Amino acid sequence: MPTSNDKVNPSDEHQLKILRMRAQQLAQKAVSDEVTSGDLLDLLKFTINGELYAVETKFVREVQANRGVTPIPCTPSFIAGVHTVRGEIISVLHMNLLFGLKPGSSSGGKIIIVNDSKQKIGFLVDEVVGVSSLLISDLQPPLSTISHEQAKYVRGIAEGPLVLIDMDALLNDGRIIVEEEVED
Amino acid sequence: MSSADPGFLAKLRQAFAMEANEQLHAISNALLELEKGPTTQESKTLVEVMFRQAHNLKGSAHAVNMTSIEAVCQHLEAVFSAMKKGELVASQQQLDVLHSTVEVLHGLLAADGKITDPVSRSIATVSEQLAAILSSGQGTALEIKPETTTPPAAAVAETAAAIPAAVADRHATMDNIRIAASKLDDLLLQAEEMLSVKRAAVQHALDLSSLAEEAQEWRKGWQKIDHNVRALRRLVERHDSNKNGGAHTELSHALGNVQKVLEFLEWNGGRATGWLSKLEMQNRLVDSDMRTTSSIVDTFLDRTKKLLMMPCAVLFELFPTLVRNTSRQLGKDVEFKMYGTEIELDKRILAKIRDPLVHLIRNSIDHGVEDSASRLEAGKPPRAQVTIAVNQVDSSMVEIAVSDDGRGIDVELVKKAAVKAGLLTDPEAAAMTMQQAVDLIFQSAFSTSPIITEISGHGLGLAIVKENITSLGGKLVVESEKGRGTQFKMFVPTTMATYTGILLNVRGQTVAIPKANLERVVRVKPSEVQSIENNSAILLDGIMVPLVQLADLLELPERRTEPGQVPFYLVAVVRVGETLLGVIVDAILEEQEVLVKSFGKPLNRVRNVSGVTILRSGEAVPILNVADLIKSARRLGSAAHVATKMEPRTRKRILVVDDTLTSRMLMKNIVEAAGYAAEVATDGLEALTVLLEQPFDLALLDVEMPRMTGLELTKKIRQNQKLHELPVIILTTLATKEDKERGVEAGANAYFVKSSFDQNSLLDTIKRLI
């Protein structure tokens, strides 16, 4: 195992990363003591409006083809509607609108269903690119130019460029909760 | 599995929470019993129970690392221990402290052991109070001791006797197992999903049976012509054998062909008859399979639903503490009784009647019953009675009655107040029956009026309680006798039922409304639409029914091109109680049995939509909340004006510019609810681009925005030849006079401060400007 003190040029470093990930995949649990799970993030990568995003796989329950999301009247525009998965009703959100980005020409071909202990929510994305691992140390802070509103949901950016979404922050943000009465 | 595994810890905590809730309830109940002045022996047993529960709770809290709960339990246990040793007999005030300690523990449990500021303060308070009790106990122990006449040895013997009983109890429940409610919910979900399998099976069987019927037609046709074919073939055969080798080769060639055709026809007839028999056989099999499947699915669903049935006691065990705390708070002496708590209800129904029942019980104590002095004056026993009684009406319905023996509802005063509030005319009030007058308290405009609160004897929100019960498919009625008391009767279904829904189409979207809410469907010519004070209405059987576009109520996006003149409007007339509303729809599709599913998080409550149902086709369809629609129509008012002549109606367009999502959404909702079309932009620069590209009637601007502020944008608008007349309203958090002046200087038509603005005056200003 190379140590971080080794002098490596960027492409070496990239190769090392790949090798380490392969080793991780091959060895599975046998080496999990050597590379502590904290070093690596398992990511699901996807695109919205041609930009690359990722969420940690630990939040992802499943990915579904978008067979049609039923729009629900009188909901904020970031709510795309509801989707049924084996009899269960799941709210589907437009991630880009939640980020304060423009609607753009997202095809919304896939729905990524994420959950934590409290809720299960779907997000419309264009394409799922695949699964990969990322060293936490390779994660950089979000660009200082993005708005505060967006930065709240961004855990960091990585090579690609890839924006890692802070799903914890997103799921626990009170602003995604819709609770509206018709006043008298 | 190590204890550091977060999944394991979560499961452990879940189990802990379940157990802890039971332990806290046991302590609560024992405390309540203790207040009733039990015999010495009884109170020994009670204290023993409380001590053990507190001790166990402390232990489990430690195991799951909930130190806050553990710490509070430590104090609690010490107090119970002192009581157990006879060093302390708790006074009423001290019992209050113990009650509030249990409340604090409940709070901690609900917060998953997380300590927020108010919680930590209340922990500190109860801990101090408990410590105070302990030190007082030690001081007064000698005075109190004489009251405990049982010799210590006997006490020990009784305690020992009590323990085997508890153990025996536990044995008796060996047949019962604990299952997390969420697992049952999952099971029910699957069972409900079987309903669509059943619906599909029914549909397929029907399709097959109509195919078999069509095939029968063929068989009849074939049977009629079958012998002709055979006769013809024989004829041809004969002719063929007679003329064999003859000169008419052309004819015999043709006859040969005819013969082949006839042979094939006959063969076909035979094959098709065979297939037909098989089809009929399959049809019978599928039909019988369908019946079996249907009945199994129905039974399965029914039994699964029964799994979710829980005795009312599960919910009602909260109430003695609630009554006790409320009545002590209000200085009233109330005796509370519960009947029929063993009757079972779907836990989802139980969850939904919790708040309404709490509301009714609080109301009874607060407004229904008098204090002891007034009761004595009225010649009643000083102690008031509040009762909650559950009765099974039939297998699908229960009645829950909340009664008090208080002052009752004074109908004359209620009527007078209704007249005063403009809800009734004098002659109408005079013509009212007793019951009609009492029912006035459910009117939302009415029950929220403060005058009525005092005299009706019942407070705010009865309209909401009634609405909640109605939405469950139940009803709420009230009976009252002046001076004798009031009784609220709630009728609720025992399980979440399916009901018939009507599917409608509006602007391409399918929605469902409960059939129970649909009064009728009518066609109305545009010329028949009347305009009253700018609101549209139609005359139905002599009643003016307000008319709105359903699409407007549902805030659906406008069509790119509105259709031109339509010969008539299709109007669904919906009803809630006595209120009627006509909504214009594009099509009425069909009736279907619907099973209401609520949205999960994050859609906790959506305006105008109560839930979703899944159609036979698998499509999810929103179910409209008709009570909400009626309210929305009232809010829309003249903005929902329906064209009497089909002039192309264009909604005024407003651009909302704000860099924060919340404000943007809020403003968009406000103006859209008032009937305007709204677009949004996230900063001044984007807004300017949008304004130059598309026509708008007004702009609502925030001041502080990146790239271009609202003031800069206003100046740009005023300088732009195309835009300079556009009305601009500035909305801001900046509240000083200078800020306001700067806004006006920049050229804004109006200026509102976000923190203090009144929605109506904003809408009035918009109306004035465009």
Side-chain angles (χ1 to χ4, degrees), chain B residues 432-453:
Chain B
M432 264 190 165
T433 63
M434 186 82 156
Q435 193 59 47
Q436 282 171 329
V438 171
D439 286 343
L440 282 172
I441 62 169
F442 290 126
Q443 294 217 4
S444 61
F446 197 74
S447 66
T448 51
S449 141
I451 327 157
I452 302 309
T453 306

mmCIF file with all atom_site columns, all heavy atoms in Angstrom, chain B residues 432-453:
data_model
loop_
_atom_site.group_PDB
_atom_site.id
_atom_site.type_symbol
_atom_site.label_atom_id
_atom_site.label_alt_id
_atom_site.label_comp_id
_atom_site.label_asym_id
_atom_site.label_entity_id
_atom_site.label_seq_id
_atom_site.pdbx_PDB_ins_code
_atom_site.Cartn_x
_atom_site.Cartn_y
_atom_site.Cartn_z
_atom_site.occupancy
_atom_site.B_iso_or_equiv
_atom_site.pdbx_formal_charge
_atom_site.auth_seq_id
_atom_site.auth_comp_id
_atom_site.auth_asym_id
_atom_site.auth_atom_id
_atom_site.pdbx_PDB_model_num
ATOM 1   N N   . MET B 1 432 ? -85.716 28.128 12.920 1.00 0.00 ? 432 MET B N   1
ATOM 2   C CA  . MET B 1 432 ? -84.762 27.036 13.100 1.00 0.00 ? 432 MET B CA  1
ATOM 3   C C   . MET B 1 432 ? -85.213 26.029 14.149 1.00 0.00 ? 432 MET B C   1
ATOM 4   O O   . MET B 1 432 ? -85.761 26.402 15.178 1.00 0.00 ? 432 MET B O   1
ATOM 5   C CB  . MET B 1 432 ? -83.436 27.605 13.588 1.00 0.00 ? 432 MET B CB  1
ATOM 6   C CG  . MET B 1 432 ? -82.487 27.820 12.471 1.00 0.00 ? 432 MET B CG  1
ATOM 7   S SD  . MET B 1 432 ? -80.888 28.213 13.143 1.00 0.00 ? 432 MET B SD  1
ATOM 8   C CE  . MET B 1 432 ? -79.950 27.940 11.666 1.00 0.00 ? 432 MET B CE  1
ATOM 9   N N   . THR B 1 433 ? -84.917 24.759 13.874 1.00 0.00 ? 433 THR B N   1
ATOM 10  C CA  . THR B 1 433 ? -85.173 23.778 14.922 1.00 0.00 ? 433 THR B CA  1
ATOM 11  C C   . THR B 1 433 ? -84.035 23.897 15.928 1.00 0.00 ? 433 THR B C   1
ATOM 12  O O   . THR B 1 433 ? -82.985 24.485 15.655 1.00 0.00 ? 433 THR B O   1
ATOM 13  C CB  . THR B 1 433 ? -85.166 22.348 14.373 1.00 0.00 ? 433 THR B CB  1
ATOM 14  O OG1 . THR B 1 433 ? -83.852 22.091 13.873 1.00 0.00 ? 433 THR B OG1 1
ATOM 15  C CG2 . THR B 1 433 ? -86.178 22.173 13.264 1.00 0.00 ? 433 THR B CG2 1
ATOM 16  N N   . MET B 1 434 ? -84.279 23.289 17.069 1.00 0.00 ? 434 MET B N   1
ATOM 17  C CA  . MET B 1 434 ? -83.284 23.254 18.131 1.00 0.00 ? 434 MET B CA  1
ATOM 18  C C   . MET B 1 434 ? -81.946 22.726 17.588 1.00 0.00 ? 434 MET B C   1
ATOM 19  O O   . MET B 1 434 ? -80.904 23.313 17.792 1.00 0.00 ? 434 MET B O   1
ATOM 20  C CB  . MET B 1 434 ? -83.825 22.293 19.186 1.00 0.00 ? 434 MET B CB  1
ATOM 21  C CG  . MET B 1 434 ? -83.015 22.241 20.399 1.00 0.00 ? 434 MET B CG  1
ATOM 22  S SD  . MET B 1 434 ? -83.468 23.624 21.433 1.00 0.00 ? 434 MET B SD  1
ATOM 23  C CE  . MET B 1 434 ? -82.950 22.936 22.977 1.00 0.00 ? 434 MET B CE  1
ATOM 24  N N   . GLN B 1 435 ? -82.028 21.594 16.878 1.00 0.00 ? 435 GLN B N   1
ATOM 25  C CA  . GLN B 1 435 ? -80.822 20.944 16.403 1.00 0.00 ? 435 GLN B CA  1
ATOM 26  C C   . GLN B 1 435 ? -80.071 21.823 15.413 1.00 0.00 ? 435 GLN B C   1
ATOM 27  O O   . GLN B 1 435 ? -78.858 21.954 15.469 1.00 0.00 ? 435 GLN B O   1
ATOM 28  C CB  . GLN B 1 435 ? -81.183 19.596 15.757 1.00 0.00 ? 435 GLN B CB  1
ATOM 29  C CG  . GLN B 1 435 ? -79.987 18.697 15.497 1.00 0.00 ? 435 GLN B CG  1
ATOM 30  C CD  . GLN B 1 435 ? -79.214 18.370 16.771 1.00 0.00 ? 435 GLN B CD  1
ATOM 31  O OE1 . GLN B 1 435 ? -79.792 18.004 17.782 1.00 0.00 ? 435 GLN B OE1 1
ATOM 32  N NE2 . GLN B 1 435 ? -77.907 18.537 16.742 1.00 0.00 ? 435 GLN B NE2 1
ATOM 33  N N   . GLN B 1 436 ? -80.818 22.471 14.510 1.00 0.00 ? 436 GLN B N   1
ATOM 34  C CA  . GLN B 1 436 ? -80.189 23.346 13.529 1.00 0.00 ? 436 GLN B CA  1
ATOM 35  C C   . GLN B 1 436 ? -79.421 24.459 14.234 1.00 0.00 ? 436 GLN B C   1
ATOM 36  O O   . GLN B 1 436 ? -78.323 24.832 13.832 1.00 0.00 ? 436 GLN B O   1
ATOM 37  C CB  . GLN B 1 436 ? -81.242 23.962 12.598 1.00 0.00 ? 436 GLN B CB  1
ATOM 38  C CG  . GLN B 1 436 ? -81.713 23.001 11.523 1.00 0.00 ? 436 GLN B CG  1
ATOM 39  C CD  . GLN B 1 436 ? -82.900 23.556 10.760 1.00 0.00 ? 436 GLN B CD  1
ATOM 40  O OE1 . GLN B 1 436 ? -83.718 24.299 11.309 1.00 0.00 ? 436 GLN B OE1 1
ATOM 41  N NE2 . GLN B 1 436 ? -82.997 23.198 9.492  1.00 0.00 ? 436 GLN B NE2 1
ATOM 42  N N   . ALA B 1 437 ? -80.026 24.979 15.288 1.00 0.00 ? 437 ALA B N   1
ATOM 43  C CA  . ALA B 1 437 ? -79.384 26.074 16.014 1.00 0.00 ? 437 ALA B CA  1
ATOM 44  C C   . ALA B 1 437 ? -78.104 25.605 16.692 1.00 0.00 ? 437 ALA B C   1
ATOM 45  O O   . ALA B 1 437 ? -77.074 26.274 16.647 1.00 0.00 ? 437 ALA B O   1
ATOM 46  C CB  . ALA B 1 437 ? -80.351 26.654 17.038 1.00 0.00 ? 437 ALA B CB  1
ATOM 47  N N   . VAL B 1 438 ? -78.188 24.417 17.305 1.00 0.00 ? 438 VAL B N   1
ATOM 48  C CA  . VAL B 1 438 ? -76.997 23.882 17.973 1.00 0.00 ? 438 VAL B CA  1
ATOM 49  C C   . VAL B 1 438 ? -75.886 23.643 16.941 1.00 0.00 ? 438 VAL B C   1
ATOM 50  O O   . VAL B 1 438 ? -74.714 23.930 17.183 1.00 0.00 ? 438 VAL B O   1
ATOM 51  C CB  . VAL B 1 438 ? -77.327 22.580 18.737 1.00 0.00 ? 438 VAL B CB  1
ATOM 52  C CG1 . VAL B 1 438 ? -76.063 21.915 19.236 1.00 0.00 ? 438 VAL B CG1 1
ATOM 53  C CG2 . VAL B 1 438 ? -78.257 22.866 19.899 1.00 0.00 ? 438 VAL B CG2 1
ATOM 54  N N   . ASP B 1 439 ? -76.285 23.165 15.759 1.00 0.00 ? 439 ASP B N   1
ATOM 55  C CA  . ASP B 1 439 ? -75.309 22.872 14.716 1.00 0.00 ? 439 ASP B CA  1
ATOM 56  C C   . ASP B 1 439 ? -74.574 24.115 14.218 1.00 0.00 ? 439 ASP B C   1
ATOM 57  O O   . ASP B 1 439 ? -73.545 24.003 13.558 1.00 0.00 ? 439 ASP B O   1
ATOM 58  C CB  . ASP B 1 439 ? -75.972 22.158 13.534 1.00 0.00 ? 439 ASP B CB  1
ATOM 59  C CG  . ASP B 1 439 ? -76.292 20.713 13.868 1.00 0.00 ? 439 ASP B CG  1
ATOM 60  O OD1 . ASP B 1 439 ? -75.719 20.213 14.855 1.00 0.00 ? 439 ASP B OD1 1
ATOM 61  O OD2 . ASP B 1 439 ? -77.096 20.090 13.165 1.00 0.00 ? 439 ASP B OD2 1
ATOM 62  N N   . LEU B 1 440 ? -75.144 25.279 14.513 1.00 0.00 ? 440 LEU B N   1
ATOM 63  C CA  . LEU B 1 440 ? -74.470 26.515 14.103 1.00 0.00 ? 440 LEU B CA  1
ATOM 64  C C   . LEU B 1 440 ? -73.037 26.585 14.629 1.00 0.00 ? 440 LEU B C   1
ATOM 65  O O   . LEU B 1 440 ? -72.172 27.203 14.014 1.00 0.00 ? 440 LEU B O   1
ATOM 66  C CB  . LEU B 1 440 ? -75.239 27.732 14.621 1.00 0.00 ? 440 LEU B CB  1
ATOM 67  C CG  . LEU B 1 440 ? -76.505 28.142 13.860 1.00 0.00 ? 440 LEU B CG  1
ATOM 68  C CD1 . LEU B 1 440 ? -77.217 29.229 14.617 1.00 0.00 ? 440 LEU B CD1 1
ATOM 69  C CD2 . LEU B 1 440 ? -76.140 28.617 12.469 1.00 0.00 ? 440 LEU B CD2 1
ATOM 70  N N   . ILE B 1 441 ? -72.804 25.933 15.757 1.00 0.00 ? 441 ILE B N   1
ATOM 71  C CA  . ILE B 1 441 ? -71.460 26.036 16.342 1.00 0.00 ? 441 ILE B CA  1
ATOM 72  C C   . ILE B 1 441 ? -70.396 25.383 15.470 1.00 0.00 ? 441 ILE B C   1
ATOM 73  O O   . ILE B 1 441 ? -69.214 25.592 15.660 1.00 0.00 ? 441 ILE B O   1
ATOM 74  C CB  . ILE B 1 441 ? -71.377 25.452 17.769 1.00 0.00 ? 441 ILE B CB  1
ATOM 75  C CG1 . ILE B 1 441 ? -71.695 23.963 17.750 1.00 0.00 ? 441 ILE B CG1 1
ATOM 76  C CG2 . ILE B 1 441 ? -72.296 26.201 18.715 1.00 0.00 ? 441 ILE B CG2 1
ATOM 77  C CD1 . ILE B 1 441 ? -71.365 23.290 19.061 1.00 0.00 ? 441 ILE B CD1 1
ATOM 78  N N   . PHE B 1 442 ? -70.823 24.568 14.490 1.00 0.00 ? 442 PHE B N   1
ATOM 79  C CA  . PHE B 1 442 ? -69.843 23.943 13.606 1.00 0.00 ? 442 PHE B CA  1
ATOM 80  C C   . PHE B 1 442 ? -69.459 24.825 12.423 1.00 0.00 ? 442 PHE B C   1
ATOM 81  O O   . PHE B 1 442 ? -68.578 24.495 11.662 1.00 0.00 ? 442 PHE B O   1
ATOM 82  C CB  . PHE B 1 442 ? -70.380 22.616 13.048 1.00 0.00 ? 442 PHE B CB  1
ATOM 83  C CG  . PHE B 1 442 ? -70.483 21.545 14.083 1.00 0.00 ? 442 PHE B CG  1
ATOM 84  C CD1 . PHE B 1 442 ? -71.663 20.864 14.291 1.00 0.00 ? 442 PHE B CD1 1
ATOM 85  C CD2 . PHE B 1 442 ? -69.381 21.207 14.856 1.00 0.00 ? 442 PHE B CD2 1
ATOM 86  C CE1 . PHE B 1 442 ? -71.758 19.867 15.237 1.00 0.00 ? 442 PHE B CE1 1
ATOM 87  C CE2 . PHE B 1 442 ? -69.460 20.206 15.807 1.00 0.00 ? 442 PHE B CE2 1
ATOM 88  C CZ  . PHE B 1 442 ? -70.653 19.543 15.998 1.00 0.00 ? 442 PHE B CZ  1
ATOM 89  N N   . GLN B 1 443 ? -70.201 25.927 12.254 1.00 0.00 ? 443 GLN B N   1
ATOM 90  C CA  . GLN B 1 443 ? -69.880 26.787 11.118 1.00 0.00 ? 443 GLN B CA  1
ATOM 91  C C   . GLN B 1 443 ? -68.557 27.479 11.370 1.00 0.00 ? 443 GLN B C   1
ATOM 92  O O   . GLN B 1 443 ? -68.356 28.045 12.439 1.00 0.00 ? 443 GLN B O   1
ATOM 93  C CB  . GLN B 1 443 ? -70.980 27.821 10.924 1.00 0.00 ? 443 GLN B CB  1
ATOM 94  C CG  . GLN B 1 443 ? -72.270 27.178 10.516 1.00 0.00 ? 443 GLN B CG  1
ATOM 95  C CD  . GLN B 1 443 ? -73.031 28.026 9.525  1.00 0.00 ? 443 GLN B CD  1
ATOM 96  O OE1 . GLN B 1 443 ? -72.541 29.058 9.094  1.00 0.00 ? 443 GLN B OE1 1
ATOM 97  N NE2 . GLN B 1 443 ? -74.208 27.582 9.181  1.00 0.00 ? 443 GLN B NE2 1
ATOM 98  N N   . SER B 1 444 ? -67.710 27.443 10.339 1.00 0.00 ? 444 SER B N   1
ATOM 99  C CA  . SER B 1 444 ? -66.353 27.934 10.619 1.00 0.00 ? 444 SER B CA  1
ATOM 100 C C   . SER B 1 444 ? -66.351 29.426 10.907 1.00 0.00 ? 444 SER B C   1
ATOM 101 O O   . SER B 1 444 ? -65.648 29.898 11.785 1.00 0.00 ? 444 SER B O   1
ATOM 102 C CB  . SER B 1 444 ? -65.428 27.603 9.458  1.00 0.00 ? 444 SER B CB  1
ATOM 103 O OG  . SER B 1 444 ? -65.894 28.231 8.301  1.00 0.00 ? 444 SER B OG  1
ATOM 104 N N   . ALA B 1 445 ? -67.187 30.178 10.191 1.00 0.00 ? 445 ALA B N   1
ATOM 105 C CA  . ALA B 1 445 ? -67.197 31.619 10.415 1.00 0.00 ? 445 ALA B CA  1
ATOM 106 C C   . ALA B 1 445 ? -67.712 31.900 11.825 1.00 0.00 ? 445 ALA B C   1
ATOM 107 O O   . ALA B 1 445 ? -67.511 32.967 12.376 1.00 0.00 ? 445 ALA B O   1
ATOM 108 C CB  . ALA B 1 445 ? -68.097 32.292 9.402  1.00 0.00 ? 445 ALA B CB  1
ATOM 109 N N   . PHE B 1 446 ? -68.371 30.900 12.380 1.00 0.00 ? 446 PHE B N   1
ATOM 110 C CA  . PHE B 1 446 ? -69.109 31.093 13.597 1.00 0.00 ? 446 PHE B CA  1
ATOM 111 C C   . PHE B 1 446 ? -68.317 30.653 14.816 1.00 0.00 ? 446 PHE B C   1
ATOM 112 O O   . PHE B 1 446 ? -68.121 31.386 15.761 1.00 0.00 ? 446 PHE B O   1
ATOM 113 C CB  . PHE B 1 446 ? -70.380 30.259 13.478 1.00 0.00 ? 446 PHE B CB  1
ATOM 114 C CG  . PHE B 1 446 ? -71.428 30.665 14.456 1.00 0.00 ? 446 PHE B CG  1
ATOM 115 C CD1 . PHE B 1 446 ? -72.124 31.831 14.250 1.00 0.00 ? 446 PHE B CD1 1
ATOM 116 C CD2 . PHE B 1 446 ? -71.680 29.888 15.558 1.00 0.00 ? 446 PHE B CD2 1
ATOM 117 C CE1 . PHE B 1 446 ? -73.100 32.200 15.145 1.00 0.00 ? 446 PHE B CE1 1
ATOM 118 C CE2 . PHE B 1 446 ? -72.645 30.268 16.445 1.00 0.00 ? 446 PHE B CE2 1
ATOM 119 C CZ  . PHE B 1 446 ? -73.367 31.425 16.247 1.00 0.00 ? 446 PHE B CZ  1
ATOM 120 N N   . SER B 1 447 ? -67.822 29.431 14.754 1.00 0.00 ? 447 SER B N   1
ATOM 121 C CA  . SER B 1 447 ? -67.183 28.892 15.951 1.00 0.00 ? 447 SER B CA  1
ATOM 122 C C   . SER B 1 447 ? -65.878 29.624 16.237 1.00 0.00 ? 447 SER B C   1
ATOM 123 O O   . SER B 1 447 ? -65.324 29.514 17.315 1.00 0.00 ? 447 SER B O   1
ATOM 124 C CB  . SER B 1 447 ? -66.941 27.400 15.793 1.00 0.00 ? 447 SER B CB  1
ATOM 125 O OG  . SER B 1 447 ? -66.009 27.173 14.788 1.00 0.00 ? 447 SER B OG  1
ATOM 126 N N   . THR B 1 448 ? -65.370 30.372 15.257 1.00 0.00 ? 448 THR B N   1
ATOM 127 C CA  . THR B 1 448 ? -64.134 31.092 15.531 1.00 0.00 ? 448 THR B CA  1
ATOM 128 C C   . THR B 1 448 ? -64.409 32.486 16.081 1.00 0.00 ? 448 THR B C   1
ATOM 129 O O   . THR B 1 448 ? -63.493 33.219 16.392 1.00 0.00 ? 448 THR B O   1
ATOM 130 C CB  . THR B 1 448 ? -63.288 31.230 14.252 1.00 0.00 ? 448 THR B CB  1
ATOM 131 O OG1 . THR B 1 448 ? -64.109 31.748 13.227 1.00 0.00 ? 448 THR B OG1 1
ATOM 132 C CG2 . THR B 1 448 ? -62.706 29.911 13.825 1.00 0.00 ? 448 THR B CG2 1
ATOM 133 N N   . SER B 1 449 ? -65.683 32.839 16.162 1.00 0.00 ? 449 SER B N   1
ATOM 134 C CA  . SER B 1 449 ? -65.987 34.156 16.688 1.00 0.00 ? 449 SER B CA  1
ATOM 135 C C   . SER B 1 449 ? -65.891 34.156 18.215 1.00 0.00 ? 449 SER B C   1
ATOM 136 O O   . SER B 1 449 ? -66.422 33.271 18.872 1.00 0.00 ? 449 SER B O   1
ATOM 137 C CB  . SER B 1 449 ? -67.395 34.553 16.243 1.00 0.00 ? 449 SER B CB  1
ATOM 138 O OG  . SER B 1 449 ? -68.048 35.222 17.285 1.00 0.00 ? 449 SER B OG  1
ATOM 139 N N   . PRO B 1 450 ? -65.199 35.126 18.768 1.00 0.00 ? 450 PRO B N   1
ATOM 140 C CA  . PRO B 1 450 ? -64.960 35.106 20.212 1.00 0.00 ? 450 PRO B CA  1
ATOM 141 C C   . PRO B 1 450 ? -66.233 35.208 21.048 1.00 0.00 ? 450 PRO B C   1
ATOM 142 O O   . PRO B 1 450 ? -66.319 34.624 22.120 1.00 0.00 ? 450 PRO B O   1
ATOM 143 C CB  . PRO B 1 450 ? -64.051 36.312 20.452 1.00 0.00 ? 450 PRO B CB  1
ATOM 144 C CG  . PRO B 1 450 ? -64.190 37.161 19.237 1.00 0.00 ? 450 PRO B CG  1
ATOM 145 C CD  . PRO B 1 450 ? -64.558 36.260 18.125 1.00 0.00 ? 450 PRO B CD  1
ATOM 146 N N   . ILE B 1 451 ? -67.223 35.942 20.545 1.00 0.00 ? 451 ILE B N   1
ATOM 147 C CA  . ILE B 1 451 ? -68.470 36.081 21.313 1.00 0.00 ? 451 ILE B CA  1
ATOM 148 C C   . ILE B 1 451 ? -69.084 34.705 21.525 1.00 0.00 ? 451 ILE B C   1
ATOM 149 O O   . ILE B 1 451 ? -69.520 34.352 22.605 1.00 0.00 ? 451 ILE B O   1
ATOM 150 C CB  . ILE B 1 451 ? -69.540 36.922 20.551 1.00 0.00 ? 451 ILE B CB  1
ATOM 151 C CG1 . ILE B 1 451 ? -68.858 37.977 19.709 1.00 0.00 ? 451 ILE B CG1 1
ATOM 152 C CG2 . ILE B 1 451 ? -70.573 37.481 21.493 1.00 0.00 ? 451 ILE B CG2 1
ATOM 153 C CD1 . ILE B 1 451 ? -69.702 38.464 18.562 1.00 0.00 ? 451 ILE B CD1 1
ATOM 154 N N   . ILE B 1 452 ? -69.091 33.935 20.440 1.00 0.00 ? 452 ILE B N   1
ATOM 155 C CA  . ILE B 1 452 ? -69.715 32.631 20.492 1.00 0.00 ? 452 ILE B CA  1
ATOM 156 C C   . ILE B 1 452 ? -68.944 31.706 21.415 1.00 0.00 ? 452 ILE B C   1
ATOM 157 O O   . ILE B 1 452 ? -69.521 30.899 22.127 1.00 0.00 ? 452 ILE B O   1
ATOM 158 C CB  . ILE B 1 452 ? -69.783 32.015 19.081 1.00 0.00 ? 452 ILE B CB  1
ATOM 159 C CG1 . ILE B 1 452 ? -70.539 32.941 18.164 1.00 0.00 ? 452 ILE B CG1 1
ATOM 160 C CG2 . ILE B 1 452 ? -70.426 30.658 19.118 1.00 0.00 ? 452 ILE B CG2 1
ATOM 161 C CD1 . ILE B 1 452 ? -71.861 33.371 18.707 1.00 0.00 ? 452 ILE B CD1 1
ATOM 162 N N   . THR B 1 453 ? -67.630 31.822 21.414 1.00 0.00 ? 453 THR B N   1
ATOM 163 C CA  . THR B 1 453 ? -66.821 30.967 22.247 1.00 0.00 ? 453 THR B CA  1
ATOM 164 C C   . THR B 1 453 ? -67.311 30.995 23.684 1.00 0.00 ? 453 THR B C   1
ATOM 165 O O   . THR B 1 453 ? -67.449 29.972 24.326 1.00 0.00 ? 453 THR B O   1
ATOM 166 C CB  . THR B 1 453 ? -65.351 31.422 22.197 1.00 0.00 ? 453 THR B CB  1
ATOM 167 O OG1 . THR B 1 453 ? -64.988 31.472 20.852 1.00 0.00 ? 453 THR B OG1 1
ATOM 168 C CG2 . THR B 1 453 ? -64.483 30.467 22.949 1.00 0.00 ? 453 THR B CG2 1
#
